[in-house]
Amino acid sequence: MQAIIHILKTQGDDIVRSIGQHIGLSLISLLIAAVIAIPLAILLMNHKRSANVMLQITSVLQTIPSLALLGILIPIVGIGTVPSIIALVIYAVMPIFQNTYAGLTTIDPNLEEAATAFGLSRRMKLFRIELPLAMPMIISGIRIAMVMIIGTATLAALIGAGGLGTYILLGIETNNNALLIIGAVLSAILALVFGAGIDWLGKLSFKKAGLVLLTLIVLIGGFAGYRKIASPATDITIAGKMGSEPEILINMYKDLIEHDHPNMQVTTKANFGGTSFLFKALKSGSVDIYPEFTGTVLESLVTGQKSASHNPKTTYKVAKNALKSQYQMAYLKPMQYQNGYDLAVTKPFAKKYNLKTISDLIAVEDQIHAGFDPDFHQLKDGYPGLSKTYGLKFASAKTMEPSIRYKAIANGKVNLVDGYTTDPEVQEYHLVVLKDDKHFFPPYQGAPLMTEKLLTDHPELRTTLNKLAGKVSTTDMQKMNYKVTVKHEKAAAVAREYLKSHGLLD
Amino acid sequence: MIEFKNVSKQYENNLALDKLNLTIPSQDFFVLVGPSGSGKTTTLKMLNRLIEPTDGNIYFDDKRIIDYDLKQLRLQMGYVLQNIALFPNLNIQENIAIQAESLGWSRKDRIARARHLLSQVDLDPDQYATRMPSELSGGEQQRVGIIRALAIKPKVVLMDEPFSALDPISRKQLQDLVLRLHRELKMTFIFVTHDMHEALRLGQHIAVMRLGHIQQIGTGDEIMQHPANDFVRGFFQNEHAPRPTTVQSLLDAGYGEATTAAATLTADASVSALAAALKQTTPVVVTTVQGPRALSTPDLLDYLAAKEAD
């Protein structure tokens, strides 16, 4: 609870902006879906067979998993708001179409007969009789679509459209339940508020409802237009994955570029999504630069390089060449810190047994009760391989959720955990990371990734971004992550502070 | 004037109307009566072209109805439905004025017309005009259903079993109402019913139908007195036609004693004639095929009391 209040206090502005993005995305999608589905249902209300075909099509669209749909859309329309809206519209069309069609075709045939026998025009019959009678069904369809949209819109955060999903994904990514709750609760509240609004709209006459909708469209359009005009022209867009570390890095990139080239405008997009989305975004040109790990490049992005070397320099070289030959991408020099697996113990424990390296564990292996993340416990790159390389066999090794793992060592339930080298919890719980003296863990070094074309157009970027090459130690990164994740300082401020204190920025 | 000339309606494997010929004079109150499946509703719905004939022609004022503009034709034919079918989303005055609205009348004129019609059928406009249909009783709803059909002064009003869903008291009141409206408005009323009693009560002319054929057309009296065939005769009996109760009814019910006295009344005399005779002298002797029988005042009272109890 305290964590939630703290986040609300420190990140209030960002949260309000996310709510605004979420509302904008949802409303626009809902409006577009309604504008497509309702007239379609009206057109097809007297054509049962076509209507059935249409129902089938919309149902099939419904079954496409949202992530797959986003994946399909990115190569076609890129990333950001547009594919999110398209995906949301595709999902929302079915309930609205189905309910409108059902509402229009289940009207008491006697009423239809009366309207026909009175010689009412098609138009009058529709607007005076049929639509008002179908209205409760149409409204419930719109409600269903709305709830679905607000829920699914959280996924928009994956492809850089922002919204409350940012907090949910970030919460999942960083095991921060407070963020997760903020995102989820606010989404639920939005759904409730929208539901009430839709009910209210359904009770109004056509004219009034139309007027309200028109006002909304103008407001959203105006706001979007204002944002477009107000946001400065951008030369370079730098994005980062979920979490504090990429956000700190992209702010460093931005500060360095704008410092060296004052006429260049850089826009950052933090918490942009997962690896594959970012990589697609880079390929499609929606994003110009993002920081990527050497290990991840070999593991997920390039083909034919599965057996990663345990030497950081070789790994970087292999990754760089593969990116160049397979994707015409430039991969600048990596920073010093490594964000890979590690083993950590508490400071008192390390002191007591004089532990500095993983090899030092061999002497005390009978006393080690380890808590491992399930992946680490099973992967060849994890405990099984480690145990083979170092000849280690701990007294016990339990698997547990990543966040619980750190709490377990803090509470003394276990005395050794795996982790990522730059995890802020190392600082938070005063842990000691043991040196991988046999270079067992595959190296994960961060470096800026961009297209070769960008570097051809702006060759000066190479010099600027290479200022970070070999800089930022693992401890530096841990400290910065701690400040942002635990102390909730702004990533931009933390990044600038680092650059200044290390003489990279005046 | 409306004329059907050799009109047939063929459904897939069922001939609903077979070469129907029928003339309905202007300003008539014309009743189509018959059991279900007789084709009476089909005949009615052909007039406003809800159903199209498969053969033959229908003339309205000497012009084929298929030559009329459909909307113009329907605007001249008011329509009252069996299920009343007031639009539940519109209030009473909007329901009444729906055709006027489609003709582009001003709102003021529409309201004035609706209120006038409401008062014409004894529904207080101040109380009823802005209520919703669901707030009205069945009888009240069908009053509105009737005046909705009259709103733009059509030449013809088509009524499809409009009172069949109502309770007996409301039905009687509404029958009186349509008779009054017919007298006042000088329109042609065409009324479909399966109730012979209702047909006799309302119709100036009655067409008795069965299985797509007209059995007999005539006034109520003509049909009653001279049924064209066994079906028409049987239909009357089944429907408890409002024949005046005769002395024979008492005899049939077992009243009266054999006597040798001279008869003063015949068995087909009305019950009121018997009552009058009983005032003069008691018992009254009636001639029957089994010989004269004596009826007393207690016989008449017992009979009437028993009949009342039915």
Side-chain angles (χ1 to χ4, degrees), chain B residues 247-269 274 277-278 281-297 299-300:
Chain B
V247 175
Q248 185 66 46
S249 324
L250 272 86
L251 297 170
D252 290 349
Y255 294 101
E257 282 170 17
T259 180
T260 52
T264 54
L265 218 59
T266 54
D268 61 358
L274 174 66
L278 281 170
T281 168
T282 180
V284 169
V285 179
V286 185
T287 49
T288 71
V289 281
Q290 291 96 20
R293 291 180 88 87
L295 287 166
S296 62
T297 306
D299 287 339
L300 177 60

Side-chain angles (χ1 to χ4, degrees), chain B residues 162-236:
Chain B
F163 308 143
S164 60
L166 301 180
D167 63 276
I169 295 170
S170 302
R171 193 181 309 156
K172 166 106 182 20
Q173 287 173 344
L174 282 162
Q175 286 167 354
D176 291 340
L177 176 72
V178 292
L179 283 171
R180 198 187 88 211
L181 288 171
H182 181 251
R183 267 198 314 276
E184 289 171 7
L185 296 173
K186 313 234 177 295
M187 297 171 181
T188 309
F189 277 28
I190 303 176
F191 192 105
V192 164
T193 180
H194 60 264
D195 178 355
M196 191 45 118
H197 183 92
E198 189 168 66
L200 288 169
R201 191 154 189 265
L202 297 177
Q204 290 176 335
H205 292 94
I206 299 169
V208 185
M209 295 186 70
R210 177 177 178 247
L211 297 173
H213 291 274
I214 289 183
Q215 305 294 310
Q216 188 172 8
I217 300 181
T219 63
D221 278 346
E222 284 165 9
I223 295 176
M224 251 188 340
Q225 302 298 327
H226 309 289
N229 55 33
D230 287 348
F231 170 76
V232 177
R233 191 179 297 116
F235 195 66
F236 270 76

Side-chain angles (χ1 to χ4, degrees), chain A residues 449-462:
Chain A
L449 181 62
M450 65 204 74
T451 57
E452 282 188 330
K453 189 179 173 302
L454 179 76
L455 217 50
T456 320
D457 294 347
H458 301 279
E460 65 274 20
L461 286 177
R462 183 188 295 272

Side-chain angles (χ1 to χ4, degrees), chain B residues 93-143:
Chain B
Q93 68 186 14
E94 287 169 335
N95 259 290
I96 296 170
I98 186 87
Q99 281 185 302
E101 188 181 332
S102 85
L103 285 177
W105 290 24
S106 75
R107 187 174 153 74
K108 205 179 117 213
D109 289 350
R110 295 198 314 257
I111 291 175
R113 178 71 180 147
R115 292 178 68 90
H116 171 74
L117 284 166
L118 279 170
S119 52
Q120 213 173 351
V121 295
D122 306 321
L123 293 173
D124 178 10
D126 292 331
Q127 206 187 333
Y128 285 94
T130 54
R131 286 216 214 158
M132 298 310 281
S134 56
E135 300 172 66
L136 270 60
S137 73
E140 289 170 336
Q141 286 187 24
Q142 194 56 298
R143 274 168 205 254

Side-chain angles (χ1 to χ4, degrees), chain A residues 18-38:
Chain A
S18 295
I19 294 175
Q21 285 169 337
H22 211 94
I23 292 176
L25 266 181
S26 306
L27 271 185
I28 291 171
S29 310
L30 194 61
L31 274 174
I32 295 175
V35 165
I36 293 173
I38 295 174

Side-chain angles (χ1 to χ4, degrees), chain A residues 108 110-121 124 127-130 132-133, chain B residues 45 48 71 74-75 79 81 83 85-90 94 98-99 101-102 148:
Chain A
D108 179 0
N110 285 302
L111 297 179
E112 293 277 0
E113 186 185 295
T116 309
F118 295 159
L120 301 189
S121 62
M124 180 150 171
F127 283 100
R128 206 78 174 99
I129 312 291
E130 289 167 339
L133 288 176
Chain B
K45 287 186 178 176
N48 59 3
K71 184 172 175 177
R74 284 176 171 165
L75 289 174
Y79 188 50
L81 292 87
N83 316 58
L86 296 183
F87 299 117
N89 58 310
L90 304 179
E94 287 169 335
I98 186 87
Q99 281 185 302
E101 188 181 332
S102 85
R148 179 173 64 172

Side-chain angles (χ1 to χ4, degrees), chain A residues 168-478:
Chain A
I168 295 176
L169 293 176
L170 205 58
I172 294 172
E173 199 86 354
T174 60
N175 282 303
N176 188 333
N177 284 336
L179 283 176
L180 202 74
I181 289 168
I182 287 174
V185 168
L186 285 177
S187 305
I189 291 173
L190 266 192
L192 286 176
V193 171
F194 270 41
I198 288 170
D199 284 349
W200 174 72
L201 211 60
K203 288 199 190 99
L204 297 180
S205 68
F206 278 136
K207 267 187 198 162
K208 281 183 193 159
L211 220 65
V212 172
L213 283 181
L214 207 71
T215 316
L216 267 178
I217 293 171
V218 169
L219 276 180
I220 295 174
F223 184 67
Y226 166 78
R227 284 262 301 269
K228 194 125 207 180
I229 294 165
S231 67
T234 298
D235 296 322
I236 291 175
T237 305
I238 304 177
K241 296 183 197 177
M242 292 279 154
S244 57
E245 188 171 310
E247 191 177 357
I248 295 167
L249 293 179
I250 62 176
N251 277 293
M252 288 184 182
Y253 295 174
K254 175 184 157 86
D255 281 350
L256 287 174
I257 293 172
E258 288 185 344
H259 174 261
D260 287 5
H261 316 284
N263 53 353
M264 234 181 227
Q265 287 290 340
V266 177
T267 306
T268 56
K269 287 183 186 288
N271 299 314
F272 200 78
T275 302
S276 62
F277 282 115
L278 262 175
F279 193 65
K280 279 182 184 165
L282 189 64
K283 274 197 286 186
S284 71
S286 315
V287 163
D288 295 311
I289 305 172
Y290 84 90
E292 184 56 282
F293 290 115
T294 50
T296 310
V297 170
L298 295 187
E299 214 172 74
S300 335
L301 298 180
V302 300
T303 50
Q305 310 287 345
K306 285 294 168 215
S307 57
S309 161
H310 288 192
N311 179 327
K313 280 191 181 143
T314 324
T315 303
Y316 167 70
K317 217 170 230 164
V318 172
K320 184 185 164 176
N321 292 336
L323 282 167
K324 189 180 165 82
S325 61
Q326 290 176 26
Y327 296 105
Q328 290 77 51
M329 282 184 187
Y331 198 30
L332 299 187
K333 285 183 188 154
M335 285 161 284
Q336 183 198 358
Y337 79 92
Q338 294 220 11
N339 188 351
Y341 282 123
D342 66 19
L343 292 182
V345 295
T346 59
K347 263 184 191 157
F349 191 80
K351 212 166 189 179
K352 190 172 168 193
Y353 297 104
N354 195 24
L355 302 175
K356 290 204 177 79
T357 66
I358 295 177
S359 299
D360 293 344
L361 287 169
I362 298 167
V364 291
E365 64 178 1
D366 294 345
Q367 296 170 48
I368 300 288
H369 299 280
F372 289 147
D373 145 338
D375 278 352
F376 183 84
H377 191 67
Q378 281 176 3
L379 283 181
K380 185 168 61 70
D381 284 346
Y383 180 52
L386 180 90
S387 143
K388 213 169 157 190
T389 308
Y390 282 93
L392 268 173
K393 196 167 182 344
F394 298 141
S396 77
K398 284 181 196 146
T399 63
M400 43 185 82
E401 278 302 300
S403 59
I404 298 171
R405 190 183 55 183
Y406 280 117
K407 290 205 172 99
I409 194 171
N411 297 334
K413 299 258 163 56
V414 296
N415 49 24
L416 178 134
V417 292
D418 72 297
Y420 291 108
T421 37
T422 57
D423 279 345
E425 285 89 345
V426 171
Q427 288 270 328
E428 196 179 354
Y429 298 119
H430 310 291
L431 303 179
V432 174
V433 172
L434 301 174
K435 193 169 158 54
D436 178 18
D437 49 336
K438 292 196 176 170
H439 300 289
F440 166 72
F441 292 124
Y444 283 77
Q445 281 187 296
L449 181 62
M450 65 204 74
T451 57
E452 282 188 330
K453 189 179 173 302
L454 179 76
L455 217 50
T456 320
D457 294 347
H458 301 279
E460 65 274 20
L461 286 177
R462 183 188 295 272
T463 332
T464 302
L465 290 176
N466 271 344
K467 284 182 182 172
L468 281 174
K471 296 275 168 32
V472 188
S473 69
T474 306
T475 325
D476 289 340
M477 204 64 239
Q478 273 173 16

